Amino acid sequence: MPRWAMVIDLDKCTGCQSCTLACRMENNVPFAGQEQASKGRAIFWNEVFAYAEGEYPHVKMTIIPRPCFHCENPPCVKVCPVGATYKDEEQGLVLQRYERCIGCRYCTVACPYGVRYFNWYQPEWPTGTDRYQNPNVPLRPKGVVEKCLYCVHRLPIPACVQACSSGARYFGDLDDSNSEVAQLARSPRAVRLLEDLGTEPKCIYLKEGL
Amino acid sequence: MQMRDDEVLFRSVFQSGRRAYLLVGILLAIIAWAVYAYVHQVATGLGVTGMNRPVFWGVYVTNFVFFIGVSHAGTLVSAILRITGAGWRRPITRAAEAITVFSLVLGVSSILIDLGRIDRIWALIRYPRFESPLLWDISSVSVYLTASVIYLYLPLIPDVAMLRDRLSAVQGRRSWRRWLYSKLALGWTGSAQQWRRLERGISIMAVLIIPIAVSVHTVVSWIFAMTLQPTWHSTIFGPYFVVGAIFSGIATLILVMVVLRKAFGLEAYLTPRHFNNLGLLLLTMTLFWFYFTFAEYLTEFYGGEPAPLGVLMTKLGGAFSPAFLAMVFFCFVIPFVVLAFRRTRTIAGIAIAALLIDVGMWLERYTIIVPTLTLPRLPYPTGSYSPTWVEWSVTLGCLAAFALAYFLFSRLFPIISIWEVQEGENAHVPAAEESAASESTV
């Protein structure tokens, strides 16, 4: 059984947002529009965060692309009252049953990484854009939660990994110790976010500047 | 004890007037507006609320916790005082038990209103996952609702039988009221065996309902405490929420008593002694509440972990400081001063303290839920939240629904348990019993 994991090399990432764009197109992520986006209601299965630390002239820019981490011990799955989000034991992925979600948003509150998004309205597709919808990925209705699924429909290459312009993303089986991701996960540069929470994320970052 | 004529207790059930219709009309109008707001929300989506990412929960979840908290009025006052044999409880038990039932129903409604897909509510029965604290809540709240309906109903039987007999004597023709009362009276004749069974049933329910009530608000707190979110993941959340629940429950009971006393002319039954005793109980709960709040926040502050500290700072000096400071003043500073001194512990003083506490406890729930959500652990863009007209309308509608349900109940049934009051009067030693009981609660 594979245990799918992603490695993101922060030294290679240029913050170009190709991953975000590829993800949107691949997974039928709807448009929120400017007004809703300003209210914090835009949906990004993959989001690239950039923030500056320090004071001029000693400023350090950090860019962190963030998919779902598909935790081994996912806090979101624990709290779901109906099993609308669940851990697929065969592939180790945290997946969604959109048709069962009751929209209580307990999972969005429980996820310490904020990878979960809610459909505040019925998703709208501006004229013409529905032509580009991917028939292999279901559209989500209003009132349900959605998030990155590591492109479970097109494994073993998620769209973001394929589209990454600088080759910063790696994807593979963590249980195969010879795989690229397993080797990189053993690197001294490898870190996982909020590791002390015990969630065991399966998205591993390679730190910058070593 | 002053002489009183128990007829006044029946009068509230049978009298009606223009003012009553006006009140019902106003309440129905508010409820209709809230229903309109809710239908708009269901049709359009939860986007019509002020919620966003990362503030996924707001006023609705606050209302849920608040109403479930208020429901603890009935349990504490009625069950605990019944078990300890406090004689002064007699005129206030039913008023308290009715609060429990109606505010529980509104608590459940509030969480249903918060759902994005109310049409899929059946999934909770078809695919329940008991690992989720929400399922613990559904279980304990439904047990509590069932138990408190039974606990409200049992002591109602002798009074309903009295109403049935009265209606039979007054009017020979059939009426829906008479039909209702004779159904609900379950053939009560007042035989010795019936009394024995009733007393037994009430005693069993009084003992059962206390652990059930404690479990309910503990589990409500666990919805938050079981997550890893900063300041929620706290071991004292269970008892902290239970204390807050009893606190707001007693405050609500006092407010309801003030209204009933004025509206139905029950001055001879709801006496300054009752208010004084409940005021002292409220004072005790104020101190408990302050102790828990202080212990909780000091621990977070001293440890100085960045995520919880950030949340604490937004309450002390940031965006949520007005609500947080108002909470401290409404829940502790003002009530403590008003309730501690005999000169200010008058009915008016106690009523003001109770009103502030209810507002303060709503703010407490709000400042526990929302600030944590605005500040996620990771340095993402932080959030803000301001509720919209939809959320305020629905909240107002919930309050109006509570008032309407309570009003209709008090029009159908005696809001003061007549047989219990008469039993107390016939006990010959009411004064000694009552003073002993009130001392034991202080």
Side-chain angles (χ1 to χ4, degrees), chain A residues 77-97:
Chain A
V77 168
K78 274 195 211 170
V79 299
C80 179
V82 293
T85 188
Y86 64 102
K87 195 173 158 203
D88 177 280
E89 293 300 341
E90 293 203 351
Q91 312 179 86
L93 296 180
V94 176
L95 302 179
Q96 295 287 122
R97 290 188 185 105

mmCIF file with all atom_site columns, all heavy atoms in Angstrom, chain A residues 77-97:
data_model
loop_
_atom_site.group_PDB
_atom_site.id
_atom_site.type_symbol
_atom_site.label_atom_id
_atom_site.label_alt_id
_atom_site.label_comp_id
_atom_site.label_asym_id
_atom_site.label_entity_id
_atom_site.label_seq_id
_atom_site.pdbx_PDB_ins_code
_atom_site.Cartn_x
_atom_site.Cartn_y
_atom_site.Cartn_z
_atom_site.occupancy
_atom_site.B_iso_or_equiv
_atom_site.pdbx_formal_charge
_atom_site.auth_seq_id
_atom_site.auth_comp_id
_atom_site.auth_asym_id
_atom_site.auth_atom_id
_atom_site.pdbx_PDB_model_num
ATOM 1   N N   . VAL A 1 77 ? -10.617 14.690 10.766 1.00 0.00 ? 77 VAL A N   1
ATOM 2   C CA  . VAL A 1 77 ? -11.365 13.436 10.634 1.00 0.00 ? 77 VAL A CA  1
ATOM 3   C C   . VAL A 1 77 ? -11.999 13.052 11.967 1.00 0.00 ? 77 VAL A C   1
ATOM 4   O O   . VAL A 1 77 ? -13.142 12.608 12.026 1.00 0.00 ? 77 VAL A O   1
ATOM 5   C CB  . VAL A 1 77 ? -10.433 12.318 10.111 1.00 0.00 ? 77 VAL A CB  1
ATOM 6   C CG1 . VAL A 1 77 ? -11.102 10.960 10.236 1.00 0.00 ? 77 VAL A CG1 1
ATOM 7   C CG2 . VAL A 1 77 ? -10.051 12.588 8.672  1.00 0.00 ? 77 VAL A CG2 1
ATOM 8   N N   . LYS A 1 78 ? -11.232 13.255 13.045 1.00 0.00 ? 78 LYS A N   1
ATOM 9   C CA  . LYS A 1 78 ? -11.744 12.908 14.376 1.00 0.00 ? 78 LYS A CA  1
ATOM 10  C C   . LYS A 1 78 ? -13.068 13.589 14.672 1.00 0.00 ? 78 LYS A C   1
ATOM 11  O O   . LYS A 1 78 ? -13.956 13.004 15.263 1.00 0.00 ? 78 LYS A O   1
ATOM 12  C CB  . LYS A 1 78 ? -10.748 13.398 15.431 1.00 0.00 ? 78 LYS A CB  1
ATOM 13  C CG  . LYS A 1 78 ? -9.624  12.463 15.744 1.00 0.00 ? 78 LYS A CG  1
ATOM 14  C CD  . LYS A 1 78 ? -8.977  12.948 17.046 1.00 0.00 ? 78 LYS A CD  1
ATOM 15  C CE  . LYS A 1 78 ? -7.501  12.632 17.093 1.00 0.00 ? 78 LYS A CE  1
ATOM 16  N NZ  . LYS A 1 78 ? -6.855  13.301 18.221 1.00 0.00 ? 78 LYS A NZ  1
ATOM 17  N N   . VAL A 1 79 ? -13.176 14.882 14.321 1.00 0.00 ? 79 VAL A N   1
ATOM 18  C CA  . VAL A 1 79 ? -14.326 15.651 14.793 1.00 0.00 ? 79 VAL A CA  1
ATOM 19  C C   . VAL A 1 79 ? -15.530 15.581 13.865 1.00 0.00 ? 79 VAL A C   1
ATOM 20  O O   . VAL A 1 79 ? -16.627 15.974 14.254 1.00 0.00 ? 79 VAL A O   1
ATOM 21  C CB  . VAL A 1 79 ? -13.958 17.138 15.019 1.00 0.00 ? 79 VAL A CB  1
ATOM 22  C CG1 . VAL A 1 79 ? -12.875 17.248 16.066 1.00 0.00 ? 79 VAL A CG1 1
ATOM 23  C CG2 . VAL A 1 79 ? -13.553 17.804 13.729 1.00 0.00 ? 79 VAL A CG2 1
ATOM 24  N N   . CYS A 1 80 ? -15.360 15.066 12.635 1.00 0.00 ? 80 CYS A N   1
ATOM 25  C CA  . CYS A 1 80 ? -16.494 15.054 11.703 1.00 0.00 ? 80 CYS A CA  1
ATOM 26  C C   . CYS A 1 80 ? -17.597 14.138 12.235 1.00 0.00 ? 80 CYS A C   1
ATOM 27  O O   . CYS A 1 80 ? -17.350 12.965 12.505 1.00 0.00 ? 80 CYS A O   1
ATOM 28  C CB  . CYS A 1 80 ? -16.053 14.594 10.317 1.00 0.00 ? 80 CYS A CB  1
ATOM 29  S SG  . CYS A 1 80 ? -17.447 14.554 9.171  1.00 0.00 ? 80 CYS A SG  1
ATOM 30  N N   . PRO A 1 81 ? -18.823 14.651 12.397 1.00 0.00 ? 81 PRO A N   1
ATOM 31  C CA  . PRO A 1 81 ? -19.875 13.840 13.004 1.00 0.00 ? 81 PRO A CA  1
ATOM 32  C C   . PRO A 1 81 ? -20.473 12.798 12.068 1.00 0.00 ? 81 PRO A C   1
ATOM 33  O O   . PRO A 1 81 ? -21.171 11.898 12.539 1.00 0.00 ? 81 PRO A O   1
ATOM 34  C CB  . PRO A 1 81 ? -20.937 14.873 13.404 1.00 0.00 ? 81 PRO A CB  1
ATOM 35  C CG  . PRO A 1 81 ? -20.727 16.012 12.491 1.00 0.00 ? 81 PRO A CG  1
ATOM 36  C CD  . PRO A 1 81 ? -19.272 16.034 12.140 1.00 0.00 ? 81 PRO A CD  1
ATOM 37  N N   . VAL A 1 82 ? -20.230 12.914 10.760 1.00 0.00 ? 82 VAL A N   1
ATOM 38  C CA  . VAL A 1 82 ? -20.892 11.999 9.826  1.00 0.00 ? 82 VAL A CA  1
ATOM 39  C C   . VAL A 1 82 ? -19.920 11.255 8.914  1.00 0.00 ? 82 VAL A C   1
ATOM 40  O O   . VAL A 1 82 ? -20.354 10.534 8.021  1.00 0.00 ? 82 VAL A O   1
ATOM 41  C CB  . VAL A 1 82 ? -21.928 12.755 8.951  1.00 0.00 ? 82 VAL A CB  1
ATOM 42  C CG1 . VAL A 1 82 ? -23.071 13.256 9.806  1.00 0.00 ? 82 VAL A CG1 1
ATOM 43  C CG2 . VAL A 1 82 ? -21.280 13.886 8.191  1.00 0.00 ? 82 VAL A CG2 1
ATOM 44  N N   . GLY A 1 83 ? -18.630 11.424 9.112  1.00 0.00 ? 83 GLY A N   1
ATOM 45  C CA  . GLY A 1 83 ? -17.679 10.756 8.237  1.00 0.00 ? 83 GLY A CA  1
ATOM 46  C C   . GLY A 1 83 ? -17.632 11.343 6.843  1.00 0.00 ? 83 GLY A C   1
ATOM 47  O O   . GLY A 1 83 ? -17.305 10.650 5.884  1.00 0.00 ? 83 GLY A O   1
ATOM 48  N N   . ALA A 1 84 ? -17.969 12.631 6.714  1.00 0.00 ? 84 ALA A N   1
ATOM 49  C CA  . ALA A 1 84 ? -17.889 13.278 5.408  1.00 0.00 ? 84 ALA A CA  1
ATOM 50  C C   . ALA A 1 84 ? -16.436 13.530 5.043  1.00 0.00 ? 84 ALA A C   1
ATOM 51  O O   . ALA A 1 84 ? -16.095 13.640 3.872  1.00 0.00 ? 84 ALA A O   1
ATOM 52  C CB  . ALA A 1 84 ? -18.662 14.592 5.407  1.00 0.00 ? 84 ALA A CB  1
ATOM 53  N N   . THR A 1 85 ? -15.574 13.635 6.033  1.00 0.00 ? 85 THR A N   1
ATOM 54  C CA  . THR A 1 85 ? -14.146 13.625 5.767  1.00 0.00 ? 85 THR A CA  1
ATOM 55  C C   . THR A 1 85 ? -13.600 12.395 6.469  1.00 0.00 ? 85 THR A C   1
ATOM 56  O O   . THR A 1 85 ? -14.026 12.071 7.572  1.00 0.00 ? 85 THR A O   1
ATOM 57  C CB  . THR A 1 85 ? -13.453 14.921 6.227  1.00 0.00 ? 85 THR A CB  1
ATOM 58  O OG1 . THR A 1 85 ? -12.104 14.891 5.766  1.00 0.00 ? 85 THR A OG1 1
ATOM 59  C CG2 . THR A 1 85 ? -13.453 15.099 7.726  1.00 0.00 ? 85 THR A CG2 1
ATOM 60  N N   . TYR A 1 86 ? -12.739 11.675 5.797  1.00 0.00 ? 86 TYR A N   1
ATOM 61  C CA  . TYR A 1 86 ? -12.298 10.389 6.334  1.00 0.00 ? 86 TYR A CA  1
ATOM 62  C C   . TYR A 1 86 ? -10.910 10.082 5.817  1.00 0.00 ? 86 TYR A C   1
ATOM 63  O O   . TYR A 1 86 ? -10.459 10.646 4.816  1.00 0.00 ? 86 TYR A O   1
ATOM 64  C CB  . TYR A 1 86 ? -13.255 9.268  5.917  1.00 0.00 ? 86 TYR A CB  1
ATOM 65  C CG  . TYR A 1 86 ? -13.290 9.030  4.427  1.00 0.00 ? 86 TYR A CG  1
ATOM 66  C CD1 . TYR A 1 86 ? -12.607 7.964  3.848  1.00 0.00 ? 86 TYR A CD1 1
ATOM 67  C CD2 . TYR A 1 86 ? -13.984 9.899  3.586  1.00 0.00 ? 86 TYR A CD2 1
ATOM 68  C CE1 . TYR A 1 86 ? -12.620 7.764  2.475  1.00 0.00 ? 86 TYR A CE1 1
ATOM 69  C CE2 . TYR A 1 86 ? -13.996 9.697  2.220  1.00 0.00 ? 86 TYR A CE2 1
ATOM 70  C CZ  . TYR A 1 86 ? -13.315 8.634  1.672  1.00 0.00 ? 86 TYR A CZ  1
ATOM 71  O OH  . TYR A 1 86 ? -13.328 8.450  0.315  1.00 0.00 ? 86 TYR A OH  1
ATOM 72  N N   . LYS A 1 87 ? -10.232 9.211  6.538  1.00 0.00 ? 87 LYS A N   1
ATOM 73  C CA  . LYS A 1 87 ? -8.900  8.830  6.109  1.00 0.00 ? 87 LYS A CA  1
ATOM 74  C C   . LYS A 1 87 ? -8.988  7.534  5.327  1.00 0.00 ? 87 LYS A C   1
ATOM 75  O O   . LYS A 1 87 ? -9.471  6.532  5.839  1.00 0.00 ? 87 LYS A O   1
ATOM 76  C CB  . LYS A 1 87 ? -7.986  8.667  7.320  1.00 0.00 ? 87 LYS A CB  1
ATOM 77  C CG  . LYS A 1 87 ? -6.534  8.639  6.938  1.00 0.00 ? 87 LYS A CG  1
ATOM 78  C CD  . LYS A 1 87 ? -5.653  8.638  8.167  1.00 0.00 ? 87 LYS A CD  1
ATOM 79  C CE  . LYS A 1 87 ? -4.295  8.061  7.789  1.00 0.00 ? 87 LYS A CE  1
ATOM 80  N NZ  . LYS A 1 87 ? -3.602  7.524  8.952  1.00 0.00 ? 87 LYS A NZ  1
ATOM 81  N N   . ASP A 1 88 ? -8.536  7.610  4.091  1.00 0.00 ? 88 ASP A N   1
ATOM 82  C CA  . ASP A 1 88 ? -8.527  6.435  3.245  1.00 0.00 ? 88 ASP A CA  1
ATOM 83  C C   . ASP A 1 88 ? -7.299  5.605  3.636  1.00 0.00 ? 88 ASP A C   1
ATOM 84  O O   . ASP A 1 88 ? -6.174  6.002  3.360  1.00 0.00 ? 88 ASP A O   1
ATOM 85  C CB  . ASP A 1 88 ? -8.444  6.880  1.781  1.00 0.00 ? 88 ASP A CB  1
ATOM 86  C CG  . ASP A 1 88 ? -8.368  5.703  0.839  1.00 0.00 ? 88 ASP A CG  1
ATOM 87  O OD1 . ASP A 1 88 ? -7.262  5.140  0.677  1.00 0.00 ? 88 ASP A OD1 1
ATOM 88  O OD2 . ASP A 1 88 ? -9.403  5.349  0.292  1.00 0.00 ? 88 ASP A OD2 1
ATOM 89  N N   . GLU A 1 89 ? -7.533  4.494  4.313  1.00 0.00 ? 89 GLU A N   1
ATOM 90  C CA  . GLU A 1 89 ? -6.407  3.753  4.895  1.00 0.00 ? 89 GLU A CA  1
ATOM 91  C C   . GLU A 1 89 ? -5.516  3.132  3.824  1.00 0.00 ? 89 GLU A C   1
ATOM 92  O O   . GLU A 1 89 ? -4.328  2.919  4.048  1.00 0.00 ? 89 GLU A O   1
ATOM 93  C CB  . GLU A 1 89 ? -6.921  2.686  5.859  1.00 0.00 ? 89 GLU A CB  1
ATOM 94  C CG  . GLU A 1 89 ? -7.588  3.241  7.127  1.00 0.00 ? 89 GLU A CG  1
ATOM 95  C CD  . GLU A 1 89 ? -6.665  4.120  7.987  1.00 0.00 ? 89 GLU A CD  1
ATOM 96  O OE1 . GLU A 1 89 ? -5.434  4.034  7.828  1.00 0.00 ? 89 GLU A OE1 1
ATOM 97  O OE2 . GLU A 1 89 ? -7.186  4.907  8.801  1.00 0.00 ? 89 GLU A OE2 1
ATOM 98  N N   . GLU A 1 90 ? -6.067  2.856  2.657  1.00 0.00 ? 90 GLU A N   1
ATOM 99  C CA  . GLU A 1 90 ? -5.257  2.215  1.623  1.00 0.00 ? 90 GLU A CA  1
ATOM 100 C C   . GLU A 1 90 ? -4.163  3.130  1.097  1.00 0.00 ? 90 GLU A C   1
ATOM 101 O O   . GLU A 1 90 ? -3.078  2.681  0.769  1.00 0.00 ? 90 GLU A O   1
ATOM 102 C CB  . GLU A 1 90 ? -6.141  1.778  0.449  1.00 0.00 ? 90 GLU A CB  1
ATOM 103 C CG  . GLU A 1 90 ? -7.084  0.664  0.854  1.00 0.00 ? 90 GLU A CG  1
ATOM 104 C CD  . GLU A 1 90 ? -7.538  -0.154 -0.339 1.00 0.00 ? 90 GLU A CD  1
ATOM 105 O OE1 . GLU A 1 90 ? -7.251  0.258  -1.481 1.00 0.00 ? 90 GLU A OE1 1
ATOM 106 O OE2 . GLU A 1 90 ? -8.172  -1.196 -0.106 1.00 0.00 ? 90 GLU A OE2 1
ATOM 107 N N   . GLN A 1 91 ? -4.470  4.427  0.993  1.00 0.00 ? 91 GLN A N   1
ATOM 108 C CA  . GLN A 1 91 ? -3.496  5.350  0.410  1.00 0.00 ? 91 GLN A CA  1
ATOM 109 C C   . GLN A 1 91 ? -3.007  6.374  1.416  1.00 0.00 ? 91 GLN A C   1
ATOM 110 O O   . GLN A 1 91 ? -2.185  7.202  1.090  1.00 0.00 ? 91 GLN A O   1
ATOM 111 C CB  . GLN A 1 91 ? -4.113  6.064  -0.791 1.00 0.00 ? 91 GLN A CB  1
ATOM 112 C CG  . GLN A 1 91 ? -4.801  5.096  -1.734 1.00 0.00 ? 91 GLN A CG  1
ATOM 113 C CD  . GLN A 1 91 ? -5.415  5.810  -2.901 1.00 0.00 ? 91 GLN A CD  1
ATOM 114 O OE1 . GLN A 1 91 ? -4.759  6.059  -3.894 1.00 0.00 ? 91 GLN A OE1 1
ATOM 115 N NE2 . GLN A 1 91 ? -6.681  6.158  -2.765 1.00 0.00 ? 91 GLN A NE2 1
ATOM 116 N N   . GLY A 1 92 ? -3.572  6.329  2.622  1.00 0.00 ? 92 GLY A N   1
ATOM 117 C CA  . GLY A 1 92 ? -3.165  7.280  3.650  1.00 0.00 ? 92 GLY A CA  1
ATOM 118 C C   . GLY A 1 92 ? -3.637  8.688  3.375  1.00 0.00 ? 92 GLY A C   1
ATOM 119 O O   . GLY A 1 92 ? -3.119  9.638  3.955  1.00 0.00 ? 92 GLY A O   1
ATOM 120 N N   . LEU A 1 93 ? -4.624  8.859  2.500  1.00 0.00 ? 93 LEU A N   1
ATOM 121 C CA  . LEU A 1 93 ? -5.083  10.210 2.161  1.00 0.00 ? 93 LEU A CA  1
ATOM 122 C C   . LEU A 1 93 ? -6.324  10.589 2.970  1.00 0.00 ? 93 LEU A C   1
ATOM 123 O O   . LEU A 1 93 ? -7.133  9.728  3.318  1.00 0.00 ? 93 LEU A O   1
ATOM 124 C CB  . LEU A 1 93 ? -5.412  10.289 0.665  1.00 0.00 ? 93 LEU A CB  1
ATOM 125 C CG  . LEU A 1 93 ? -4.231  10.067 -0.285 1.00 0.00 ? 93 LEU A CG  1
ATOM 126 C CD1 . LEU A 1 93 ? -4.707  10.162 -1.726 1.00 0.00 ? 93 LEU A CD1 1
ATOM 127 C CD2 . LEU A 1 93 ? -3.135  11.085 -0.028 1.00 0.00 ? 93 LEU A CD2 1
ATOM 128 N N   . VAL A 1 94 ? -6.462  11.878 3.238  1.00 0.00 ? 94 VAL A N   1
ATOM 129 C CA  . VAL A 1 94 ? -7.655  12.391 3.897  1.00 0.00 ? 94 VAL A CA  1
ATOM 130 C C   . VAL A 1 94 ? -8.598  12.873 2.793  1.00 0.00 ? 94 VAL A C   1
ATOM 131 O O   . VAL A 1 94 ? -8.285  13.821 2.081  1.00 0.00 ? 94 VAL A O   1
ATOM 132 C CB  . VAL A 1 94 ? -7.313  13.535 4.863  1.00 0.00 ? 94 VAL A CB  1
ATOM 133 C CG1 . VAL A 1 94 ? -8.576  14.114 5.473  1.00 0.00 ? 94 VAL A CG1 1
ATOM 134 C CG2 . VAL A 1 94 ? -6.373  13.037 5.955  1.00 0.00 ? 94 VAL A CG2 1
ATOM 135 N N   . LEU A 1 95 ? -9.706  12.184 2.623  1.00 0.00 ? 95 LEU A N   1
ATOM 136 C CA  . LEU A 1 95 ? -10.596 12.460 1.490  1.00 0.00 ? 95 LEU A CA  1
ATOM 137 C C   . LEU A 1 95 ? -11.947 13.007 1.957  1.00 0.00 ? 95 LEU A C   1
ATOM 138 O O   . LEU A 1 95 ? -12.219 13.067 3.156  1.00 0.00 ? 95 LEU A O   1
ATOM 139 C CB  . LEU A 1 95 ? -10.788 11.183 0.668  1.00 0.00 ? 95 LEU A CB  1
ATOM 140 C CG  . LEU A 1 95 ? -9.488  10.574 0.119  1.00 0.00 ? 95 LEU A CG  1
ATOM 141 C CD1 . LEU A 1 95 ? -9.780  9.300  -0.646 1.00 0.00 ? 95 LEU A CD1 1
ATOM 142 C CD2 . LEU A 1 95 ? -8.747  11.570 -0.767 1.00 0.00 ? 95 LEU A CD2 1
ATOM 143 N N   . GLN A 1 96 ? -12.772 13.423 0.979  1.00 0.00 ? 96 GLN A N   1
ATOM 144 C CA  . GLN A 1 96 ? -14.054 14.074 1.279  1.00 0.00 ? 96 GLN A CA  1
ATOM 145 C C   . GLN A 1 96 ? -15.217 13.310 0.642  1.00 0.00 ? 96 GLN A C   1
ATOM 146 O O   . GLN A 1 96 ? -15.098 12.841 -0.490 1.00 0.00 ? 96 GLN A O   1
ATOM 147 C CB  . GLN A 1 96 ? -14.065 15.497 0.704  1.00 0.00 ? 96 GLN A CB  1
ATOM 148 C CG  . GLN A 1 96 ? -13.066 16.450 1.307  1.00 0.00 ? 96 GLN A CG  1
ATOM 149 C CD  . GLN A 1 96 ? -13.457 16.888 2.702  1.00 0.00 ? 96 GLN A CD  1
ATOM 150 O OE1 . GLN A 1 96 ? -12.722 16.696 3.649  1.00 0.00 ? 96 GLN A OE1 1
ATOM 151 N NE2 . GLN A 1 96 ? -14.644 17.465 2.842  1.00 0.00 ? 96 GLN A NE2 1
ATOM 152 N N   . ARG A 1 97 ? -16.326 13.238 1.369  1.00 0.00 ? 97 ARG A N   1
ATOM 153 C CA  . ARG A 1 97 ? -17.586 12.789 0.764  1.00 0.00 ? 97 ARG A CA  1
ATOM 154 C C   . ARG A 1 97 ? -18.502 14.016 0.749  1.00 0.00 ? 97 ARG A C   1
ATOM 155 O O   . ARG A 1 97 ? -19.183 14.283 1.734  1.00 0.00 ? 97 ARG A O   1
ATOM 156 C CB  . ARG A 1 97 ? -18.233 11.688 1.607  1.00 0.00 ? 97 ARG A CB  1
ATOM 157 C CG  . ARG A 1 97 ? -17.507 10.369 1.583  1.00 0.00 ? 97 ARG A CG  1
ATOM 158 C CD  . ARG A 1 97 ? -18.341 9.296  2.288  1.00 0.00 ? 97 ARG A CD  1
ATOM 159 N NE  . ARG A 1 97 ? -17.605 8.051  2.387  1.00 0.00 ? 97 ARG A NE  1
ATOM 160 C CZ  . ARG A 1 97 ? -17.052 7.597  3.520  1.00 0.00 ? 97 ARG A CZ  1
ATOM 161 N NH1 . ARG A 1 97 ? -17.178 8.283  4.642  1.00 0.00 ? 97 ARG A NH1 1
ATOM 162 N NH2 . ARG A 1 97 ? -16.401 6.457  3.535  1.00 0.00 ? 97 ARG A NH2 1
#
